Amino acid sequence: MSETITEPEGRKLFTRQSSGLVREVSVTNALFFNTAAFVGTGVGWYPVFYTLAFIPVGSALFTTYGWAAIIVGAFGVLLALIFASLSSVMPRSGGDYVFTSRLIPGVGPFLGWVESFTLVMASIAIIAFEVPIVLRNLQITGRIIGIGTGSDFFERANGWFARDGVIIGWPGFIGALLVLALIFWVVIQPTRRFHRIVTGLAVVSLASAVAMFVFGLIFISKGAFESNLPRFADGVTVADLARVATENGFKGDGVGIFPISIFAFMAAILLLNFIGFQYSAYIAGEVTGNVRRGIMIALLGALGIAVLMSSVYTDFLSYRIGLDAQLGWGGLFWLGDPSLPLGQPNSLPLLASISRPGLWPIWAAVSFGGAIFPFLLCPVYLNFIGRLGLAWSLDRQVPEWFGNVSERLRAPINAILTALGVAVVFAILQNFALLPTSIAPPDGHLNLVATLWFSILMAFLTWFMPGINALVGPFARRDLLRNAPWRPWLPVFGVVWAVFIGVLFWFAGFKPIIDALGAGEESTLDYLNRTGITFTLIFLGFAIVVYAIQALRRRAQGVDVA
């Protein structure tokens, strides 16, 4: 589809060309595209995220983490309705960039650019997080086999792709390049084949999660885990892990929803884990059939999977092992404690193998299947980043070559390659101590926690602007949204969603920054560098500079894209 906009006298005619994309993505493909975009480490690692917020975790049917998943999921239904409504009247690839640039009067193109650019950088940071997780999952699978067989080769799996037991240096970088090469092979497949690969691998990995849940509930024994742990973890006991949980403030009571100012940190972690369930809206221009129905099924289906995996799946299996043990083990991982049992995080298949070593083939298969999702997330992210790059180039937000669509691949290959190149840069910074220690403590490596915090901050507009679009759009663009589904309710959806995200980010993001700077315990620059906010500000400034340069180029060419 092409759009033609006639400019006033003396201006050049600007025609938005056909995108070159083809509608080849089925509803099923869109569902598993979304699923692959958010699950990531989830099959084995969701219990690890209990302690990432560094707040007390209690339990009342579900853990604080599980309740956060349910609450975020309930509000996420509003986001799904907003995306389905807007996509039905703007069925173009580009997602929020297209919505914001068309619906917000005056500053829409600028806000849409900044919103989508920061999302791209957040997504590349998440790719940087997931690539070493793929390697670590291979290590965990090896350790499971070692627990079951006693093989020296597999018992030394912590040394795979690692230097002194840590995935850094040349071994880590070579491993990262191998993973990125496989990601590149997947992402350059023609659209139809790409989605077949994503759907097929997502089904396999989801099947491993089902196997983990069923066999875990049947065979995992808390007593056997407590008895076997010292034998496999150099004498570490469940009591030791429980003490870590208590001493570091990870152990809480009850649901843990109040006060909201504390619970918001956990909800922010769930937003980080859920991001991606809405990404089929970014490829709406390629979804076949009824766009509203297809996007709605894909979004709500993926959101349902996200909530179930983060609550029922994670909590019920963790209870079989013991919540205190999970909290203590996960806390040691995020604290970077050298006494971390087995040198690995508390992955569910790994803990199951300690409880029932004789079933190691099942746990190893689950662990390997779970490694597929963090791998699969990466080509899916690169795919939707490419679609954003195409939308930018069609609107002259970036040079036209950036979004050129390959006829063979039916994809904007230049945008994809650029994003992959940035991911390689992140891999270099993770594996080699090239950054000042003031920016990347303690030793100059870009660390996993820093990339997650950076991703949460950079994604603020991505979460917030859909609410503003739903609130403003029906009044500012009555012509465009006249036939939008649920049009009378869009402003209500928008207000509720924007307030939810605003409150969450205020308590979990902006207020802690203000409080820390006001406390004066360290200099402003040191705080900004240590927390990754400096990187956030640098990329935000870069986005503004690029927009200004392109605006000047468009003006020189007599082109107005407003």
Side-chain angles (χ1 to χ4, degrees):
M1 184 198 310
S2 65
E3 299 179 53
T4 302
I5 301 177
T6 305
E7 304 296 339
E9 186 94 13
R11 308 281 290 183
K12 289 186 179 179
L13 179 68
F14 172 53
T15 303
R16 289 190 177 92
Q17 302 295 332
S18 171
S19 68
L21 300 177
V22 179
R23 293 191 179 275
E24 300 182 293
V25 181
S26 69
V27 174
T28 301
N29 293 151
L31 170 61
F32 285 107
F33 183 88
N34 289 346
T35 303
F38 81 80
V39 172
T41 61
V43 173
W45 280 54
Y46 274 164
V48 185
F49 288 89
Y50 281 155
T51 50
L52 178 56
F54 288 89
I55 68 169
V57 178
S59 63
L61 181 59
F62 297 109
T63 65
T64 304
Y65 180 89
W67 282 113
I70 293 168
I71 292 170
V72 171
F75 280 97
V77 172
L78 297 178
L79 183 63
L81 294 173
I82 291 170
F83 270 114
S85 179
L86 299 183
S87 296
S88 67
V89 292
M90 288 178 278
R92 295 183 54 190
S93 291
D96 266 335
Y97 167 73
V98 174
F99 304 151
T100 301
S101 62
R102 271 61 174 170
L103 296 178
I104 304 300
V107 295
F110 171 73
L111 281 178
W113 160 254
V114 173
E115 173 189 5
S116 53
F117 181 85
T118 52
L119 171 62
V120 165
M121 296 312 304
S123 300
I124 295 176
I126 292 174
I127 291 174
F129 174 81
E130 298 290 345
V131 167
I133 296 303
V134 174
L135 300 177
R136 190 177 277 275
N137 270 335
L138 295 178
Q139 291 181 342
I140 291 172
T141 304
R143 291 307 304 266
I144 291 171
I145 297 173
I147 287 172
T149 65
S151 165
D152 288 341
F153 174 74
F154 291 106
E155 287 182 342
R156 295 195 300 269
N158 285 6
W160 299 351
F161 312 108
R163 188 180 69 196
D164 299 327
V166 182
I167 302 177
I168 57 172
W170 282 106
F173 183 59
I174 292 172
L177 288 181
L178 291 173
V179 174
L180 289 170
L182 288 173
I183 291 167
F184 175 68
W185 178 82
V186 173
V187 81
I188 63 169
Q189 299 302 311
T191 298
R192 185 172 298 177
R193 186 184 304 157
F194 169 83
H195 282 281
R196 285 175 178 170
I197 292 172
V198 169
T199 298
L201 291 178
V203 168
V204 170
S205 203
L206 275 179
S208 73
V210 172
M212 180 71 243
F213 188 69
V214 173
F215 288 108
L217 289 181
I218 295 174
F219 294 112
I220 291 178
S221 164
K222 185 177 180 180
F225 176 79
E226 293 178 352
S227 175
N228 292 337
L229 179 62
R231 177 159 60 99
F232 295 114
D234 296 326
V236 174
T237 66
V238 168
D240 294 331
L241 297 177
R243 186 166 51 253
V244 170
T246 301
E247 292 176 352
N248 289 277
F250 294 125
K251 185 177 180 179
D253 297 310
V255 177
I257 295 178
F258 299 105
I260 297 297
S261 58
I262 300 298
F263 179 74
F265 287 92
M266 186 65 81
I269 299 302
L270 267 299
L271 275 184
L272 174 70
N273 284 344
F274 282 11
I275 193 169
F277 88 88
Q278 75 273 40
Y279 282 176
S280 61
Y282 288 77
I283 60 170
E286 299 166 80
V287 176
T288 59
N290 184 301
V291 174
R292 178 181 65 85
R293 180 180 62 85
I295 296 297
M296 176 64 73
I297 292 173
L299 265 64
L300 290 180
L303 182 62
I305 293 172
V307 172
L308 285 174
M309 289 195 67
S310 299
S311 55
V312 175
Y313 172 84
T314 302
D315 287 352
F316 288 8
L317 286 176
S318 292
Y319 293 155
R320 296 290 295 174
I321 293 165
L323 182 58
D324 289 354
Q326 290 280 32
L327 297 178
W329 196 324
L332 290 174
F333 175 72
W334 294 117
L335 290 169
D337 195 298
S339 62
L340 179 70
L342 283 81
Q344 297 293 347
N346 48 314
S347 166
L348 285 171
L350 180 62
L351 272 59
S353 70
I354 294 174
S355 176
R356 295 297 188 201
L359 298 178
W360 69 264
I362 294 175
W363 313 132
V366 168
S367 179
F368 186 78
I372 293 174
F373 261 137
F375 167 80
L376 200 55
L377 176 146
C378 301
V380 166
Y381 271 36
L382 291 174
N383 182 275
F384 100 84
I385 288 172
R387 272 55 184 179
L388 274 175
L390 171 61
W392 293 342
S393 68
L394 290 175
D395 282 2
R396 307 298 192 270
Q397 298 282 22
V398 293
E400 294 177 68
W401 61 263
F402 189 80
N404 285 346
V405 174
S406 164
E407 292 185 9
R408 185 184 74 84
L409 303 179
R410 295 175 181 171
I413 188 63
N414 293 334
I416 291 171
L417 289 175
T418 301
L420 186 63
V422 177
V424 171
V425 172
F426 272 72
I428 292 172
L429 297 178
Q430 283 178 322
N431 286 285
F432 301 103
L434 301 178
L435 295 171
T437 55
S438 59
I439 295 178
D443 57 5
H445 290 89
L446 186 65
N447 61 72
L448 296 182
V449 177
T451 60
L452 292 181
W453 177 241
F454 172 81
S455 296
I456 291 173
L457 287 178
M458 291 292 281
F460 168 66
L461 287 176
T462 296
W463 290 115
F464 185 70
M465 285 306 299
I468 303 303
N469 292 335
L471 173 62
V472 174
F475 304 103
R477 292 300 306 271
R478 296 177 185 272
D479 57 328
L480 190 56
L481 297 186
R482 181 179 296 111
N483 298 317
W486 315 295
R487 183 186 178 280
W489 288 96
L490 278 178
V492 178
F493 297 161
V495 168
V496 175
W497 177 255
V499 169
F500 170 69
I501 292 298
V503 169
L504 192 156
F505 268 88
W506 168 251
F507 285 116
F510 305 131
K511 186 177 184 296
I513 294 173
I514 295 172
D515 291 345
L517 294 177
E521 295 180 358
E522 57 184 326
S523 71
T524 298
L525 184 60
D526 286 344
Y527 175 77
L528 296 178
N529 288 342
R530 179 178 58 81
T531 57
I533 299 173
T534 297
F535 283 116
T536 303
L537 295 175
I538 288 172
F539 283 112
L540 182 60
F542 181 75
I544 295 172
V545 169
V546 171
Y547 183 86
I549 291 173
Q550 285 298 113
L552 292 174
R553 290 185 69 239
R554 292 193 299 269
R555 180 174 297 180
Q557 296 169 354
V559 171
D560 182 3
V561 298

